[in-house]
Amino acid sequence: MSEQVVTVCLPPCEPGELRAALATAMAPFEYDAQIGKSDEEWQGEWDHWFIDAHGWDFTVRGGCEDDPLIIRGDDVSPRPRSLCDGGPKGLLDLDTGRAAAAREAGEEWGAWHAFAAGFPSGLPYAHFARRAAEDPAYTQERMVEDFRDQPVISALRQAPALEERFGFDPVPWFGEDRAAFVEQAEAGVLPTFALLTVDGRWSDGSSHPYNVRFNAYLDSLPDATILVRVLYHS
C-alpha cells in the first residue's frame, strides 16, 4: 500500500460541484468496484482520496491567485499563493516550469560535457557490471576499481562538489544527445504517477514515454478543462 497522486481532468464545473464531479470520475477505480469485471481481473486503484497535490503543485498564472476557480484542497500546510491543487487549465501556468527545467538541463549537459572533454571518453558503470556478471573471474572489487580508474571518473571523484553535482556515473546519464536530455527533463515536470482523462481513462507510469503522453494530453485540452491533483491511497 502507498500514496500516489493522480491528475484528474474534468469538464468545466462550478466550485460547489467540484467534489461531486471528482467523486463521479474516481468512483469506477475504487478498490473492488467491480464494474462488470471478475475478482481476478480487477481490484481497483484506491481506497480513499483527497484533493492534495502532495508536492506536485500547479503554478497559478500570474494575477489569477485569488480567482475563486483556483482549487486549494484538503491539505492545510502553508504554501505560496502562486501554488495550488488545480483549477481551470487557462488559470494555470503549465509552461514556466517546463521552460525552466529545459534551460537548467541544457546548462547541466553543457557543463558536464565541458568537463568531460578534457579526458578520454568514459564508460558507464553498467559496462563493468555486465562484465562482472558474465565473467566469474572478474571480481566485484576489480569491477569497481576499473570503473573508478577511468581518467574522467577519477578526476570527478577528486572534486567532491562536481561529483555531487553530476553523480557518480554521469556518462550514461548525460549521454551524447543534448536535445534528448533536455526533452526528458522538460517532460518530467508536470506528470504525476497517474492520469485520469476527461473521458474516464486511467493510466499510470514513470517512464519518459508516459511523461510525453501526459504532457501532450494536457496541452491538447481546452482552457476551461478542470485539472485537479488528487492524493490517493493505493
Side-chain angles (χ1 to χ4, degrees), residues 9 57 112 168 205 214 216:
C9 307
D57 309 80
W112 162 252
F168 90 101
F214 188 108

Side-chain angles (χ1 to χ4, degrees), residues 34-217:
Q34 304 302 322
I35 307 300
K37 300 182 179 181
S38 71
D39 290 341
E40 291 74 20
E41 295 173 328
W42 180 253
Q43 290 191 345
E45 303 290 351
W46 60 268
D47 56 16
H48 61 269
W49 56 266
F50 308 93
I51 298 175
D52 182 357
H54 200 59
W56 293 95
D57 309 80
F58 282 117
T59 300
V60 183
R61 193 174 294 279
C64 300
E65 292 84 358
D66 296 319
D67 192 295
L69 296 180
I70 291 295
I71 299 165
R72 306 184 193 279
D74 303 311
D75 184 7
V76 297
S77 301
R79 61 180 166 179
R81 297 292 290 173
S82 59
L83 301 178
C84 69
D85 298 311
K89 177 188 166 184
L91 299 183
L92 305 177
D93 181 355
L94 304 184
D95 297 322
T96 298
R98 291 187 289 192
R103 182 175 61 254
E104 291 168 7
E107 292 170 355
E108 283 297 285
W109 189 94
W112 162 252
H113 281 274
F115 171 79
F119 306 94
S121 297
L123 294 170
Y125 184 83
H127 169 83
F128 302 93
R130 282 194 298 269
R131 180 178 170 187
E134 296 167 357
D135 182 0
Y138 190 65
T139 65
Q140 292 285 323
E141 292 78 7
R142 178 68 184 280
M143 173 191 74
V144 172
E145 181 180 336
D146 286 352
F147 170 71
R148 291 178 172 177
D149 281 349
Q150 299 179 97
V152 68
I153 301 300
S154 177
L156 185 65
R157 285 171 50 78
Q158 294 173 37
L162 289 180
E163 186 176 25
E164 182 177 355
R165 178 181 181 183
F166 296 134
F168 90 101
D169 188 23
V171 172
W173 173 250
F174 288 101
E176 294 298 327
D177 188 334
R178 182 185 186 279
F181 183 78
V182 169
E183 180 192 14
Q184 185 161 330
E186 182 180 17
V189 172
L190 287 180
T192 50
F193 176 75
L195 172 69
L196 180 53
T197 63
V198 173
D199 59 353
R201 292 176 289 118
W202 181 292
S203 61
D204 53 48
S206 57
S207 67
H208 179 59
Y210 167 78
N211 290 347
V212 170
R213 292 192 298 272
F214 188 108
N215 281 276
Y217 181 73

Side-chain angles (χ1 to χ4, degrees), residues 212-230:
V212 170
R213 292 192 298 272
F214 188 108
N215 281 276
Y217 181 73
L218 260 60
D219 287 340
S220 74
L221 295 171
D223 282 351
T225 307
I226 306 294
L227 308 179
V228 193
R229 304 294 208 194
V230 171

